[in-house]
Amino acid sequence: MTSTPPTRSEAKDLTRRRLIRAAFAILDEEGEAGLTTVKVARAAGIAQSSFYVHFKDRQELLRALGDRAGERLRGAMREARRRAREAPGDRERHRETFRIPLEAICRHPALFRLNLRARHDPSSPFHEFAVESAGAYRAHLVADLASFGFPTGRESDRRRLEMVADGIGALSDAMAIGHIDGRYPDLEEVVDVLVAFSYGYLRLLRRDPSAPAAGSFLHDPFRNDPGTPTDPTIGVRPEPGGGVRRDGA
């Protein structure tokens, strides 16, 4: 049985995807300094001259990597938040909304560091893209928080959602750096801390502090056992003497 040869457009798309896969592999293995057009073309199995059919230069390739990683991450996070919204009493689904971005960062730490540096360096050729990516992340998170039922009718409500989204992003970045650098080796412990912070900002977003917001996680996931006071950190109980222990430890 003979297979139909790919069209010119299909072949071009296939080569582009091979270049992106090769670039991710080199970036993960050697870091930004090791990423050259020569190495990427060689790893993808094409002539270096063919590289420029798909990308103008190295910077355009880096933007393509950021686009690919960002698109996948935002899609996965929206799905995780949708699942959490459908089951507001399921604390593991809530935890997953924090675990997913951390795992994505850990898959491509060099790209994450590059993006983080460029976001705060106006002289970087990657700066505009990094700022746009952060803005897209913020906009997606604000929309998702609004879909949970938090108020958006007043300008102050919308501004507060944006501040919370920026705070979540900055905190997640800081925790991710700590994990990548080895200061916080247990990823699940990092998730615990991020969830504990969410306990505070979800309360902040309620217009009426005496009533739970529609779709919020506050009525159940922050209690390990009904009627048992616990530390707000998911899965962490206070120990006598001021220490903490994880559930099941």
Side-chain angles (χ1 to χ4, degrees):
M1 181 177 179
T2 58
S3 59
T4 304
T7 65
R8 182 179 180 85
S9 176
E10 290 171 339
K12 186 175 181 180
D13 182 63
L14 178 62
T15 301
R16 181 182 174 86
R17 283 188 278 122
R18 283 165 54 190
L19 286 166
I20 288 175
R21 283 197 301 269
F24 267 126
I26 293 170
L27 190 62
D28 294 341
E29 181 70 23
E30 303 180 34
E32 184 185 353
L35 189 70
T36 67
T37 60
V38 173
K39 285 184 178 179
V40 172
R42 185 184 302 125
I46 67 170
Q48 186 184 0
S49 58
S50 298
F51 173 93
Y52 298 102
V53 173
H54 303 275
F55 301 104
K56 181 177 67 176
D57 52 24
R58 178 176 174 271
Q59 295 304 323
E60 188 171 286
L61 172 63
L62 282 169
R63 285 192 290 272
L65 299 186
D67 273 336
R68 178 67 61 89
E71 182 181 347
R72 288 178 176 175
L73 174 57
R74 287 190 293 271
M77 291 180 68
R78 299 211 87 162
E79 175 61 19
R81 292 183 190 128
R82 182 193 65 78
R83 294 180 69 248
R85 187 168 62 247
E86 291 177 349
D90 188 332
R91 64 182 179 183
E92 184 53 34
R93 290 192 183 189
H94 184 39
R95 289 169 59 79
E96 190 71 1
T97 65
F98 294 97
R99 185 183 295 113
I100 284 175
L102 290 172
E103 290 177 340
I105 288 170
C106 292
R107 278 194 294 273
H108 304 297
L111 182 62
F112 168 68
R113 290 184 188 276
L114 168 63
N115 195 29
L116 198 59
R117 286 198 308 273
R119 195 187 311 165
H120 302 288
D121 180 8
S123 67
S124 169
F126 208 52
H127 174 70
E128 185 176 346
F129 175 83
V131 170
E132 289 175 357
S133 296
Y137 173 90
R138 183 194 309 112
H140 276 247
L141 182 51
V142 166
D144 285 342
L145 288 170
S147 74
F148 279 111
F150 293 111
T152 59
R154 301 178 303 189
E155 182 181 351
S156 60
D157 293 329
R158 296 189 293 273
R159 186 172 60 247
R160 184 165 291 187
L161 284 180
E162 287 202 2
M163 286 192 285
V164 166
D166 276 337
I168 294 171
L171 182 59
S172 296
D173 288 347
M175 295 294 102
I177 287 290
H179 179 66
I180 292 170
D181 289 346
R183 290 185 293 119
Y184 312 138
D186 184 349
L187 188 68
E188 291 306 308
E189 186 176 36
V190 175
V191 173
D192 285 341
V193 171
L194 290 173
V195 170
F197 274 99
S198 77
Y199 180 77
Y201 69 69
L202 289 173
R203 286 192 183 278
L204 174 71
L205 291 177
R206 296 185 307 184
R207 182 171 291 170
D208 177 2
S210 66
S216 82
F217 300 102
L218 297 179
H219 69 282
D220 179 63
F222 295 92
R223 301 171 69 92
N224 289 324
D225 298 300
T228 303
T230 63
D231 182 273
T233 304
I234 291 295
V236 176
R237 295 176 180 275
E239 281 281 281
V244 299
R245 70 182 292 270
R246 288 176 180 277
D247 285 349

